[in-house]
Amino acid sequence: MEGERRASPERSSGLPARGADGESPGGGGPLLRSRGSSALLQVDVLDLDEDEDDLEVFSKDASLMDMNSFSPMMPTSPLSMINQVKFEDEPDLKDLFITVDEPESHVTTIETFITYRIITKTSRGEFDSSDFEVRRRYQDFLWLKGKLEEAHPTLIIPPLPEKFIVRGMVERFNDDFIETRRKALQKFLNRIADHPTLTFNEDFKIFLTVQAWELSSHKKQGPGLLSKMGQTVRAVALSMRGVKSRPQQFMEMNDFIEIFSQKINLIDKISQRIYKEERDYFDEMREYGPIHILWSASEDDLADTLSGVASCIDTCCKATEKRMSGLSEALLPVVHEYVLYSEILMGVMKRRDQIQAELDSKVEALTYKKADADLTGSSESLDCEEVVLEESRFEIYLTEEIGKLEDKVECANNALKADWERWKQNMQNDIKSAFADMAEENIHYYEQCLATWESFLTSQTDLHSEETSEDKP
Amino acid sequence: MEQVLFSQVGEPGGLGLEKTLMFLAVWQGVVQRTWLNGGIVENGMTENNFWLKKIEISVSEAEKRTGRNAMNMQETYTAYLIETRRFTELKHYSDELQSVISHLLRVRARVADRLYGVYKVHGNYGRVFSEWSAIEKEMGDGLQSAGHHMDVYASSIDDILEDEEHYADQLKEYLFYAEALRAVCRKHELMQYDLEMAAQDLASKKQQCEELATGTVRTFSLKGMTTKLFGQETPEQREARIKVLEEQISEGEQQLKSKNLEGREFVKNAWADIERFKEQKNHDLKEALISYAVMQISMCKKGIQVWTNAKECFSKM
């Protein structure tokens, strides 16, 4: 790990980097793989050693992580400060571009699964190259999400598409399902890339860059199953205690999340229903036009008018199809993502509560201890000096722990607060665009239909005025 | 003109018309029976050529034999052919019209149902947006007003479909028109049949009379057989029978003439009516279709307005 990070000075001296996928870096010499400003790269080189400790932050260790995690209030390293400056000045300046495509089916004796091709293009110095191409399966995404949640328990990690859809699935992997999933996976990775903290996560980088076998071995490192179980047990125990007092703003946040979750779920259902109704309408319309053609075959005077009507109906039919596809591309995935987000938010709230609960339980313990000591101390001080010493040592230990936990809680709360604001802003933009797009799609649909019927009408009235002028002597 | 097939070009004079009628009626019967049986009618040449082979003589032959009558027969025959074809086509058309309009009405109703569904579901957005707006500070106003537009959109379908009902009613009128056409065709059929029967009856009576008068038996009859078996009747009896028959024949000839006149009158009037109806129908249906287009245009314009408003609200969120 460290070796890789220190590679930048070596890189600038001309050694070919260990391209993470084994290929020699494409385009350009070994010197400046980045397309970003060279000034930035030099800063990298200069500050790298000093940054070491801070860069440590972006590794897997769970509990102390958030102390140094990025927040607009507390930049901790020149590097991240530069990135922050970038973030504030040019919020649209992306230096990490990810696409997910080419789903491929793999059949083994044990199972069948699908992998997706992940292409990453970046100008960042920390990456050994500017282009990466790897294959990942859904399980790998799950792993990444888990690691991110571990590392940043009170940050809002973007949602993954569901494992499988229970109802209406005949084949586990039909084309629509795969395509929907592919788009969602791409969204997932790009959201991480756009997140000011998560984008620098080491596991994220590994996910994007290393070959499959390397990823497997990397996955096996880190806290084992038992320690994970231990964490879960503790978490459950704490959650059962309940939160003593959630700070006001988190109460409000929680209320919001509850109602938001309700509403977004409803909107998801409504939107799906609209799609279904439009599909049914489309199916009927397809039959409607041809009947007019059939009729026109047995008429002479009316034949023109009838086939005109038929053609208008067909045009409207096609417009309906376009309207439907607009809905399913623009609106449905966005709404659905926020349904999943609402679940994630509840999870984040819980984790924040757990962290606070840890603190609260220790504070309680200390309070009891102190109360205990007060009660017993005065009468038995001469006899139990050692006990008293033990107890005061314990009290000191508790106080230290409480100190740490207080820091931890404060960091967690700050991280969540900041991320919450960011999430709300994004949500507002996303929902706004999605619905505005839907409205635009509908306007376009009606405009198309209007045009076709209007031109039909014109042709009929033109004909009529032709006829009447012909009749005139 | 098609080859005309006749047998026994009839006697000169008065019997020409009726004989012609009889044969034409028989021929018509063949046509109609075949048509009724779903057979293909092409100038009377059906698979059932048995009938037709029996009565074969060319028009020119007929002309030679009967002079003036042949021309009459030809004309009469042509008239019959044309008339038959017109009524056949009319019946065909009325069946098609009825079938296609029924189908159209059914599908239109289904399309309207589906459209109703699309509009009404959008109304649900209205309610949910409104509830959601309560927890949003910046988005609240936009959501609320967008929700209002969703309600407007959802309720607009009621008027739209009511207008379409009028269109459906206009189409239904033309179902009745098709029915009326079929009634005319049926009446014509019945009249033809009536005429055919009367002509056959008359012809057979004449034949009987002839046989009695001349004593020859040309066609098989029960009377003929019994006479052979049990002996002939007396000359007085024969005279009486001839008398009766002659009266009947005279009556029959009158009836046939008047029926024929009735028929011609009916056909003339019916056809005039049909032509008139056709003009009316074309005019009315064209108007109905144009008004349908106008309705669609109005619906589209409303849709554009609502969604433009909604888009503005969404953009302000």
Side-chain angles (χ1 to χ4, degrees):
Chain A
M1 285 302 126
E2 308 252 323
E4 271 182 36
R5 280 195 218 107
R6 282 195 227 204
S8 3
E10 290 163 41
R11 276 211 300 280
S12 41
S13 68
L15 288 176
R18 275 173 283 129
D21 49 359
E23 297 162 79
S24 46
L31 267 173
L32 280 178
R33 235 147 263 119
S34 103
R35 293 190 201 98
S37 65
S38 46
L40 191 61
L41 192 61
Q42 281 173 12
V43 168
D44 264 2
V45 173
L46 289 173
D47 293 331
L48 201 56
D49 291 331
E50 291 165 53
D51 286 344
E52 204 182 324
D53 289 330
D54 295 323
L55 286 174
E56 198 85 87
V57 163
F58 302 108
S59 72
K60 299 155 290 197
D61 218 35
S63 42
L64 299 177
M65 174 77 60
D66 278 335
M67 275 214 237
N68 292 330
S69 76
F70 174 82
S71 95
M73 314 302 156
M74 314 185 316
T76 50
S77 75
L79 180 65
S80 62
M81 200 153 73
I82 283 156
N83 284 334
Q84 182 193 357
V85 165
K86 235 172 49 170
F87 180 68
E88 280 173 359
D89 286 349
E90 304 161 77
D92 298 321
L93 194 71
K94 272 170 72 114
D95 59 357
L96 189 64
F97 298 84
I98 305 170
T99 54
V100 176
D101 60 10
E102 278 193 14
E104 256 177 34
S105 191
H106 298 253
V107 186
T108 69
T109 46
I110 317 167
E111 53 175 349
T112 309
F113 58 92
I114 300 220
T115 62
Y116 302 84
R117 179 175 72 160
I118 322 272
I119 296 188
T120 307
K121 293 193 195 299
T122 181
S123 57
R124 284 193 199 163
E126 317 86 84
F127 285 74
D128 294 337
S129 160
S130 57
D131 294 275
F132 295 94
E133 183 178 320
V134 297
R135 289 215 145 252
R136 298 284 180 250
R137 56 184 290 191
Y138 184 77
Q139 257 180 32
D140 299 330
F141 285 86
L142 274 177
W143 167 84
L144 176 63
K145 184 162 156 74
K147 298 302 282 181
L148 292 173
E149 281 171 352
E150 252 182 78
H152 308 278
T154 56
L155 286 187
I156 302 168
I157 315 291
L160 274 177
E162 288 110 320
K163 261 203 182 131
F164 45 78
I165 302 164
V166 184
R167 37 177 191 105
M169 282 294 286
V170 182
E171 268 173 54
R172 218 169 114 233
F173 294 126
N174 68 39
D175 286 342
D176 279 341
F177 175 75
I178 292 172
E179 178 59 17
T180 310
R181 188 177 256 202
R182 181 199 68 77
K183 282 196 210 143
L185 292 174
Q186 184 166 295
K187 194 108 217 342
F188 171 73
L189 291 177
N190 278 288
R191 283 209 189 272
I192 298 173
D194 292 340
H195 192 286
T197 310
L198 297 177
T199 192
F200 297 108
N201 180 282
E202 188 58 28
D203 289 313
F204 180 51
K205 175 158 164 274
I206 288 171
F207 178 92
L208 291 175
T209 56
V210 310
Q211 288 307 288
W213 61 267
E214 251 189 272
L215 184 65
S216 297
S217 69
H218 174 77
K219 279 190 192 180
K220 290 188 183 120
Q221 305 169 16
L225 192 63
L226 282 177
S227 98
K228 278 204 187 131
M229 277 175 65
Q231 274 178 18
T232 317
V233 170
R234 239 185 38 241
V236 170
L238 284 171
S239 67
M240 282 174 74
R241 268 178 53 98
V243 184
K244 277 219 158 146
S245 56
R246 209 189 260 144
Q248 180 59 21
Q249 64 182 311
F250 294 113
M251 292 298 288
E252 286 169 11
M253 204 185 284
N254 195 59
D255 290 341
F256 180 95
I257 291 169
E258 264 178 37
I259 298 181
F260 174 80
S261 171
Q262 264 179 41
K263 301 311 163 196
I264 199 70
N265 269 286
L266 282 172
I267 290 181
D268 184 53
K269 288 203 184 73
I270 295 169
S271 309
Q272 304 273 3
R273 184 64 191 276
I274 289 178
Y275 183 82
K276 179 187 167 298
E277 295 289 338
E278 283 181 8
R279 151 133 275 141
D280 288 343
Y281 173 70
F282 171 73
D283 286 340
E284 293 296 345
M285 281 291 268
R286 265 162 60 193
E287 217 189 303
Y288 194 34
I291 299 178
H292 293 79
I293 299 280
L294 194 68
W295 184 1
S296 74
S298 37
E299 298 283 344
D300 31 60
D301 283 346
L302 281 179
D304 262 345
T305 311
L306 283 169
S307 51
V309 169
S311 132
C312 286
I313 293 176
D314 282 340
T315 305
C316 292
C317 209
K318 289 194 185 75
T320 302
E321 214 176 8
K322 186 163 181 300
R323 180 188 192 186
M324 272 164 55
S325 87
L327 193 70
S328 90
E329 273 167 30
L331 185 72
L332 298 183
V334 172
V335 171
H336 197 69
E337 199 196 4
Y338 277 95
V339 166
L340 297 174
Y341 254 129
S342 69
E343 281 164 33
I344 285 167
L345 288 171
M346 299 204 226
V348 171
M349 285 300 296
K350 266 208 197 102
R351 287 198 290 272
R352 190 219 70 86
D353 288 346
Q354 272 163 23
I355 294 173
Q356 185 176 317
E358 258 186 84
L359 172 65
D360 289 348
S361 74
K362 290 257 161 28
V363 168
E364 236 182 83
L366 185 64
T367 315
Y368 286 160
K369 208 79 202 106
K370 281 200 171 136
D372 232 22
D374 286 345
L375 286 172
T376 60
S378 45
S379 47
E380 298 166 42
S381 49
L382 290 171
D383 289 334
C384 316
E385 238 178 68
E386 281 173 24
V387 174
V388 169
L389 205 60
E390 267 303 312
E391 286 183 354
S392 65
R393 263 198 221 123
F394 186 56
E395 274 180 37
I396 292 168
Y397 161 75
L398 269 182
T399 315
E400 268 177 32
E401 281 298 300
I402 286 170
K404 280 192 207 152
L405 284 174
E406 275 171 349
D407 281 343
K408 188 177 174 193
V409 165
E410 191 174 328
C411 282
N413 286 349
N414 287 339
L416 177 54
K417 240 192 298 185
D419 216 19
W420 171 248
E421 290 308 317
R422 183 178 172 273
W423 179 86
K424 278 198 75 178
Q425 193 55 48
N426 277 346
M427 184 271 282
Q428 205 167 305
N429 291 338
D430 290 344
I431 296 283
K432 177 169 135 170
S433 309
F435 276 102
D437 284 348
M438 175 183 88
E440 180 61 45
E441 214 37 77
N442 286 339
I443 292 171
H444 192 241
Y445 161 76
Y446 280 113
E447 278 175 348
Q448 276 188 296
C449 294
L450 180 67
T452 193
W453 284 110
E454 271 182 342
S455 85
F456 165 76
L457 201 66
T458 317
S459 74
Q460 292 300 303
T461 45
D462 277 351
L463 232 66
H464 179 73
S465 56
E466 265 174 39
E467 283 166 12
T468 49
S469 63
E470 275 170 16
D471 289 341
K472 285 181 187 139
Chain B
M1 211 199 117
E2 304 87 333
Q3 283 245 268
V4 174
L5 316 165
F6 283 102
S7 91
Q8 295 187 301
V9 172
E11 291 75 39
L15 291 182
L17 172 61
E18 152 240 311
K19 202 109 193 186
T20 313
L21 286 177
M22 187 195 91
F23 284 118
L24 285 172
V26 168
W27 183 83
Q28 188 84 327
V30 168
V31 165
Q32 293 212 352
R33 266 172 246 126
T34 323
W35 179 64
L36 286 170
N37 291 335
I40 299 162
V41 179
E42 263 178 49
N43 306 330
M45 299 295 263
T46 70
E47 298 123 338
N48 203 358
N49 282 329
F50 170 70
W51 280 102
L52 302 169
K53 287 214 170 71
K54 284 200 73 141
I55 46 176
E56 276 189 35
I57 189 174
S58 70
V59 172
S60 49
E61 265 300 307
E63 253 182 70
K64 276 187 221 150
R65 294 192 199 177
T66 61
R68 218 178 92 253
N69 278 348
M71 273 319 289
N72 280 341
M73 274 193 271
Q74 196 171 27
E75 278 169 18
T76 321
Y77 175 72
T78 312
Y80 258 96
L81 260 188
I82 292 173
E83 188 184 298
T84 311
R85 183 170 308 136
R86 280 157 102 200
F87 277 96
T88 309
E89 280 170 6
L90 189 67
K91 185 144 200 270
H92 202 46
Y93 170 76
S94 71
D95 282 345
E96 275 178 6
L97 189 69
Q98 205 199 39
S99 148
V100 91
I101 291 188
S102 306
H103 192 195
L104 187 71
L105 284 169
R106 270 199 309 275
V107 176
R108 189 215 68 86
R110 292 207 300 259
V111 167
D113 269 346
R114 293 296 169 209
L115 194 62
Y116 184 81
V118 172
Y119 273 73
K120 286 299 179 190
V121 184
H122 280 88
N124 288 311
Y125 274 150
R127 184 177 47 89
V128 179
F129 281 172
S130 171
E131 290 165 3
W132 183 2
S133 71
I135 55 170
E136 294 284 350
K137 292 196 190 75
E138 287 164 51
M139 284 214 291
D141 288 339
L143 275 175
Q144 181 85 337
S145 45
H148 162 72
H149 292 300
M150 294 297 101
D151 286 334
V152 168
Y153 182 66
S155 60
S156 69
I157 190 68
D158 294 319
D159 285 343
I160 290 169
L161 288 184
E162 204 183 294
D163 286 344
E164 258 198 39
E165 282 302 315
H166 296 169
Y167 170 68
D169 288 339
Q170 283 174 301
L171 290 184
K172 279 182 198 145
E173 291 272 315
Y174 280 92
L175 278 182
F176 299 139
Y177 167 76
E179 191 52 48
L181 286 183
R182 281 154 116 223
V184 168
C185 293
R186 259 199 307 275
K187 174 125 197 233
H188 175 255
E189 257 177 68
L190 287 173
M191 287 186 106
Q192 288 271 42
Y193 184 73
D194 205 26
L195 200 63
E196 172 192 333
M197 288 296 110
Q200 270 181 4
D201 191 50
L202 186 62
S204 93
K205 286 202 164 77
K206 282 190 173 169
Q207 193 159 48
Q208 275 181 47
C209 201
E210 191 194 308
E211 285 168 16
L212 281 176
T214 61
T216 58
V217 179
R218 268 194 284 178
T219 57
F220 175 80
S221 74
L222 194 57
K223 198 81 192 135
M225 283 315 296
T226 54
T227 315
K228 281 212 160 93
L229 290 170
F230 303 112
Q232 284 190 347
E233 45 193 354
T234 64
E236 293 81 27
Q237 285 174 328
R238 223 171 53 193
E239 274 308 315
R241 288 217 296 151
I242 288 175
K243 204 67 190 201
V244 167
L245 275 175
E246 275 174 352
E247 270 172 40
Q248 286 180 344
I249 283 166
S250 162
E251 238 177 78
E253 274 174 346
Q254 290 295 74
Q255 263 190 18
L256 194 64
K257 271 205 186 82
S258 70
K259 276 196 170 119
N260 191 43
L261 269 168
E262 228 180 276
R264 299 309 105 223
E265 195 60 30
F266 169 77
V267 166
K268 197 177 77 190
N269 292 334
W271 217 258
D273 274 347
I274 285 164
E275 281 302 314
R276 200 166 34 84
F277 272 146
K278 186 167 148 199
E279 287 294 310
Q280 186 72 38
K281 166 208 89 179
N282 285 345
H283 176 264
D284 287 353
L285 280 177
K286 188 157 177 178
E287 243 180 51
L289 289 166
I290 288 177
S291 79
Y292 184 72
V294 171
M295 273 183 252
Q296 297 303 303
I297 287 172
S298 152
M299 178 173 90
C300 290
K301 284 189 175 154
K302 280 190 207 161
I304 291 174
Q305 189 178 55
V306 162
W307 285 105
T308 306
N309 291 339
K311 182 176 167 198
E312 210 183 298
C313 297
F314 289 132
S315 316
K316 288 202 186 116
M317 281 187 349

